[in-house]
Amino acid sequence: LSTVEDFLVHDVHKLVASAEQLSNSDGLKQGINQLLSIVETCHQPWMNGLVLLEDREQNKHCLSTGCKSLDVLLQGGLREGHVTELVGPSSSGKTQVCFQVASNVAMKLGGVVYLDSGNSFSPTRIKQIVTRISGSAENQVNGILQQALRNIECHAVFDIYALLNVLHQLQLNLESQAGYKVRLIIIDSISSLIAPILGGNNAQGHALMVSVGYLLKKLADRQNIAVVVSNLIFYSCW
């Protein structure tokens, strides 16, 4: 083997057998062991249906949106481990649903990451919603509101690369910080980030779109997070 490519495209088990027959292949054996170690670390174990059912019942819960009719429509609320896409024309209320969901989860459950592509996040609107759904006495609302706003981590993302950077950093924080917990990720809206990269036969644009979809589904499933994406047009990468 003369190149890294040669090493990667060969069958690992055949390489092991070949290495055993060579007396001066200590370097090859060490490389194979390192490769197998990396593969075993990255590879997710296969799970049968019973394990998946237990994971769903124990870890994948429904998060209430704070709106009874919407919860009924969603058969209980937003599912952890899943990506929910809100699709509709401009001014149809998608952002208001995002505010409603963010307010309820931040007030009652914990961390929300709100990715804002249109500079439309409104703390004032969050305040109005929290005040309305809290059901607390007037002297208690201020404390509830402050806690809810602290639980919403808002990032402005104006292109697909900024979105990917934030998602990768979020993944790193979730994996490395024991006390860092996120219950909900909201992207409002994905349309302005996706549309500029999809013109014509833009293979790179489609690849970036698929990468975003993969990363969102990975975060949702492995971290038990509910993900909400608002969009003008339905995309199949989620």
Side-chain angles (χ1 to χ4, degrees):
L1 301 178
S2 59
T3 68
V4 174
E5 182 180 2
D6 291 335
F7 182 83
L8 292 175
V9 299
H10 273 70
D11 183 274
V12 175
H13 299 290
K14 290 182 179 180
L15 286 176
V16 172
S18 298
E20 293 297 333
Q21 298 175 3
L22 301 174
S23 58
N24 59 345
S25 60
D26 291 341
L28 178 58
K29 292 177 182 178
Q30 182 180 6
I32 292 171
N33 289 332
Q34 290 177 346
L35 175 62
L36 291 175
S37 176
I38 293 171
V39 170
E40 289 176 0
T41 301
C42 297
H43 176 67
Q44 292 295 308
W46 287 23
M47 294 182 288
N48 59 39
L50 180 59
V51 173
L52 290 171
L53 177 62
E54 291 174 348
D55 177 62
R56 181 187 178 97
E57 292 179 343
Q58 295 174 10
N59 301 313
K60 304 292 193 294
H61 306 297
C62 282
L63 308 184
S64 173
T65 64
C67 174
K68 291 183 179 180
S69 58
L70 189 53
D71 285 346
V72 170
L73 179 65
L74 296 173
Q75 298 182 344
L78 300 168
R79 295 189 180 278
E80 292 178 332
H82 290 260
V83 179
T84 302
E85 187 172 16
L86 304 176
V87 182
S90 180
S91 302
S92 60
K94 299 185 298 299
T95 295
Q96 296 306 311
V97 172
C98 291
F99 288 159
Q100 169 73 31
V101 173
S103 299
N104 193 65
V105 172
M107 185 178 70
K108 298 179 180 179
L109 298 174
V112 175
V113 174
Y114 198 108
L115 306 181
D116 179 16
S117 71
N119 201 27
S120 58
F121 182 79
S122 172
T124 302
R125 184 66 181 128
I126 298 294
K127 176 180 179 180
Q128 293 171 347
I129 295 172
V130 169
T131 301
R132 174 174 54 81
I133 65 178
S134 66
S136 301
E138 185 174 350
N139 61 343
Q140 297 176 317
V141 169
N142 191 49
I144 295 173
L145 174 63
Q146 290 182 5
Q147 184 61 45
L149 288 173
R150 276 194 294 265
N151 284 339
I152 300 176
E153 182 180 334
C154 187
H155 297 270
V157 288
F158 299 128
D159 59 56
I160 194 71
Y161 302 102
L163 174 61
L164 284 168
N165 285 338
V166 171
L167 292 178
H168 282 299
Q169 185 60 53
L170 176 60
Q171 181 182 21
L172 180 63
N173 292 344
L174 288 167
E175 293 174 350
S176 62
Q177 299 179 22
Y180 187 71
K181 178 64 177 174
V182 173
R183 303 300 300 273
L184 173 68
I185 298 173
I186 295 175
I187 302 180
D188 183 36
S189 126
I190 197 73
S191 310
S192 60
L193 307 179
I194 295 294
I197 64 173
L198 287 183
N201 296 319
N202 189 344
Q204 182 183 11
H206 286 275
L208 288 169
M209 184 180 73
V210 171
S211 295
V212 170
Y214 169 77
L215 190 51
L216 285 173
K217 288 186 286 187
K218 182 180 177 181
L219 284 168
D221 180 66
R222 297 189 181 178
Q223 302 294 336
N224 298 323
I225 297 173
V227 177
V228 175
V229 177
S230 71
N231 200 352
L232 289 172
I233 304 171
F234 177 76
Y235 291 120
S236 61
C237 66
W238 319 120

